[in-house]
Amino acid sequence: MLIPNDKDGDAALIVKFPKASADLLSDGNVKMEITATHARVVIPGATFEGGTDGLRFRIEPAKEEDLESIEAQATTDPLVREAARGGKVETVGRPTTIGSNATGGGYEAILPLTGAPLDDEQLKRVAVFAQYEDGTKELGKGTIVPSDGEDRPPGIRFPVSAGKTGTFTVIRWTNPEHKAFLFGYDDGTFGPDRTVTRAEIAAMLDRVIDRDESAAPKEFPDVADGHWATAYIDRVSGMSVMIGYPDGSFKPDATITRAEMASAIAPLLPDGFIADAGFTDTDGSWAQAVIEKAKTAGIVDGYEDGTFRPHVTLTRAEAVAMIDRLLGRGPLSGAPRKWPDVTQTHWAYGYIQESSIDHHYEKQQDGKETYIPEP
């Protein structure tokens, strides 16, 4: 049954099968397809069984004034966000309401994938979000229907339960992307066990932290205007992340200790329950509270002997691992190896890969990331 488009493309389409017609279709096990501009409905013969008042199907594209609300719900619903795992979500085509009074069985609907050309890889990240009139919701992957070679574009085919009416929105998502925030040396190495200066940490944090600068940048007498990290230091001090020493200095070229790194991270963590970190060497330390806060948040770890070693200088590998955890990033697996001096057996390999490669990824249930190559 082909329904031509009329002047009012937003009009609701109601198709009614009188009981006598429905009985004939059921007895003959005839499959019926209703093809309209905004959807196709494929009805098996068994669906025509039963019912005393005939069979009715409704196809109604969302009205212009409702589009923004429907699309916002579809792209932000927890079911969709979980499927996208951090990727950008957008709608494809026109949300459409489909329903029937069928009692004999379900049927299938096909929504056209219009408005966004999709390649084979993108089609793997397309689904249908359904909001039913009874308040229930679901997200279904459906089946991709190729173009028929005529005027009809590809579509997505999905089941509809008998007797239910819902608004169906096709959504797609891109694999989320992370940008590198740490770089190597001129000789092409990363130097995972090299120490880190306070200026280098300021630069790393400034690249990845988006926080209001509630305080005026401090004027540190030992940070010259021509220092390579002056702008970074101004911003992190304005964010009250790294505030310098009691004597007013910043010591940009001094190595940073593990305790100082915990102190820089602590202001970025939410307030809440803080547990005893259990380290054997932090009692009485000036940084005990911030170390415990960072440990409770899962940002810092100690050593196998139970120590934290607050006064030991931080390595580049340790800094990267802490910042990745702070950001909820990685570790990353499956990407081409970036650094010749960081092997896959290095304890921080995944964190270092994560921080030094621009990459698309898929988030796993355990929080790790799998590298996704993009065409």
Side-chain angles (χ1 to χ4, degrees):
M1 181 182 293
L2 179 63
I3 310 296
N5 191 16
D6 60 14
K7 294 181 181 180
D8 185 2
D10 293 343
L13 170 65
I14 305 295
V15 178
K16 298 179 180 179
F17 295 90
K19 184 176 183 341
S21 299
D23 289 343
L24 287 171
L25 291 168
S26 174
D27 293 343
N29 196 28
V30 176
K31 181 175 75 173
M32 172 68 71
E33 179 174 323
I34 303 169
T35 300
T37 301
H38 295 286
R40 294 155 60 190
V41 175
V42 181
I43 313 161
T47 301
F48 290 98
E49 294 179 4
T52 58
D53 299 321
L55 198 60
R56 183 178 68 256
F57 290 89
R58 171 189 169 199
I59 301 173
E60 183 177 4
K63 299 186 181 303
E64 286 289 343
E65 59 266 29
D66 298 327
L67 275 178
E68 184 176 351
S69 173
I70 294 172
E71 292 179 345
Q73 292 179 55
T75 54
T76 60
D77 188 87
L79 288 174
V80 176
R81 301 309 310 177
E82 181 180 358
R85 297 189 178 181
K88 179 182 177 183
V89 181
E90 61 184 12
T91 61
V92 179
R94 189 76 167 266
T96 301
T97 297
I98 301 172
S100 79
N101 65 341
T103 60
Y107 54 97
E108 291 182 307
I110 302 172
L111 293 181
L113 297 175
T114 57
L118 304 174
D119 58 31
D120 290 342
E121 183 62 29
Q122 290 170 324
L123 288 174
K124 297 176 183 177
R125 301 187 293 274
V126 173
V128 178
F129 177 67
Q131 295 174 282
Y132 293 104
E133 290 183 347
D134 61 8
T136 59
K137 300 178 293 184
E138 66 179 345
L139 181 68
K141 289 291 291 182
T143 304
I144 300 300
V145 178
S147 171
D148 59 8
E150 299 177 0
D151 294 333
R152 288 190 298 197
I156 184 167
R157 184 174 186 146
F158 55 94
V160 182
S161 299
K164 296 194 73 170
T165 297
T167 298
F168 300 89
T169 305
V170 181
I171 56 104
R172 69 166 177 170
W173 59 91
T174 59
N175 285 314
E177 183 180 9
H178 279 153
K179 294 293 186 180
F181 63 85
L182 198 58
F183 309 100
Y185 294 96
D186 291 340
D187 63 359
T189 63
F190 180 80
D193 300 320
R194 292 177 63 164
T195 56
V196 190
T197 67
R198 290 173 52 81
E200 288 174 327
I201 291 297
M204 292 181 204
L205 292 175
D206 177 66
R207 292 178 190 131
V208 297
I209 301 301
D210 183 15
R211 191 184 194 206
D212 291 338
E213 296 183 37
S214 57
K218 291 190 176 182
E219 294 185 6
F220 299 107
D222 58 342
V223 181
D225 290 341
H227 193 284
W228 70 269
T230 298
Y232 299 125
I233 293 170
D234 285 347
R235 284 192 287 269
V236 295
S237 66
M239 291 188 288
S240 299
V241 175
M242 299 180 73
I243 59 176
Y245 291 92
D247 64 0
S249 65
F250 188 85
K251 301 180 182 178
D253 300 316
T255 55
I256 192 169
T257 67
R258 287 169 54 80
E260 288 174 335
M261 186 64 178
S263 179
I265 287 173
L268 303 171
L269 300 175
D271 294 328
F273 172 76
I274 299 175
D276 183 347
F279 299 125
T280 59
D281 58 347
T282 55
D283 286 350
S285 168
W286 67 269
Q288 180 177 351
V290 293
I291 292 170
E292 289 177 345
K293 187 175 185 179
K295 171 62 175 175
T296 303
I299 307 301
V300 303
D301 282 327
Y303 294 91
E304 293 181 357
D305 62 1
T307 62
F308 180 77
R309 305 176 193 176
H311 303 300
V312 170
T313 53
L314 192 74
T315 68
R316 282 168 59 83
E318 289 172 332
V320 168
M322 290 181 189
I323 294 175
D324 279 342
R325 293 173 190 144
L326 174 68
L327 301 174
R329 290 176 52 162
L332 179 69
S333 64
R337 180 179 167 187
K338 174 71 174 179
W339 307 107
D341 60 335
V342 184
T343 66
Q344 294 186 14
T345 58
H346 192 285
W347 70 268
Y349 177 78
Y351 289 116
I352 293 170
Q353 290 278 96
E354 166 68 36
S355 67
S356 51
I357 300 174
D358 291 344
H359 61 276
H360 289 83
Y361 67 94
E362 182 178 82
K363 197 79 167 180
Q364 304 304 312
Q365 295 294 338
D366 59 3
K368 297 179 181 179
E369 296 175 13
T370 300
Y371 174 78
I372 302 293
E374 289 294 308

